[in-house]
Amino acid sequence: MLPVIAWYENHADELGDFGFRSAQVHALVDAALDDAALADPDHPRLPEVRHLLAYFLYRQGRYRAAREQFRQVDGFTEALPWRYSSTKSLYYRAIRTKTARKALTESRRPR
C-alpha cells in the first residue's frame, strides 16, 4: 500500500483524474487490492487501506470494486484521503454515495 500512499501524497492534486487512470496507478491499485485480499481481516490498518483503495477505484471509474471496499469499512474520516478535507464527513459520504449510484448504473449496463 505504501506505493499507493506515496503516489497520492505526491501527485493526486497535480494530475487529476488522468493521473489516477494511468496504467502505472492502475497497476499500483491492483497490487494493493491483491495485498488487501491476502491480509489478515483483523489487521488494524486494513480499514485505512480500504478507504484509500475505495477512493482510488472511484477516481478510476471502477465503481463496483470501489463499492466493495466501501462495504468493508466504516465512516472513519481520519483515513486518507478524507482527512485532508475541511469537511471530512461530507466528502466521505459524497464519494461513497456517488460510488454506490455509479456502481448500480454500471451493473445495469448490458455487456
Side-chain angles (χ1 to χ4, degrees):
M1 196 61 201
L2 289 177
V4 175
I5 293 168
W7 186 92
Y8 180 79
E9 295 283 355
N10 291 298
H11 302 293
D13 290 336
E14 65 192 47
L15 297 177
D17 281 342
F18 175 76
F20 280 93
R21 293 174 186 243
S22 72
Q24 174 196 10
V25 177
H26 255 266
L28 292 175
V29 171
D30 288 344
L33 283 168
D34 290 344
D35 289 345
L38 295 173
D40 178 348
D42 295 325
H43 193 286
R45 302 293 303 266
L46 188 57
E48 290 180 78
V49 166
R50 293 195 186 284
H51 277 278
L52 194 55
L53 282 171
Y55 182 73
F56 268 75
L57 291 163
Y58 166 79
R59 295 290 300 265
Q60 291 176 345
R62 298 161 70 181
Y63 304 115
R64 286 185 289 182
R67 180 182 59 192
E68 289 307 311
Q69 295 302 314
F70 275 119
R71 284 181 173 164
Q72 297 183 55
V73 296
D74 58 15
F76 178 68
T77 56
E78 288 301 318
L80 280 175
W82 328 117
R83 71 170 154 226
Y84 289 138
S85 173
S86 60
T87 57
K88 296 174 183 110
S89 296
L90 292 174
Y91 186 43
Y92 167 77
R93 289 195 313 261
I95 298 298
R96 185 186 61 191
T97 300
K98 288 177 188 177
T99 297
R101 286 184 184 147
K102 289 177 183 267
L104 186 59
T105 302
E106 191 177 64
S107 296
R108 292 181 177 165
R109 278 190 220 139
R111 294 189 179 227

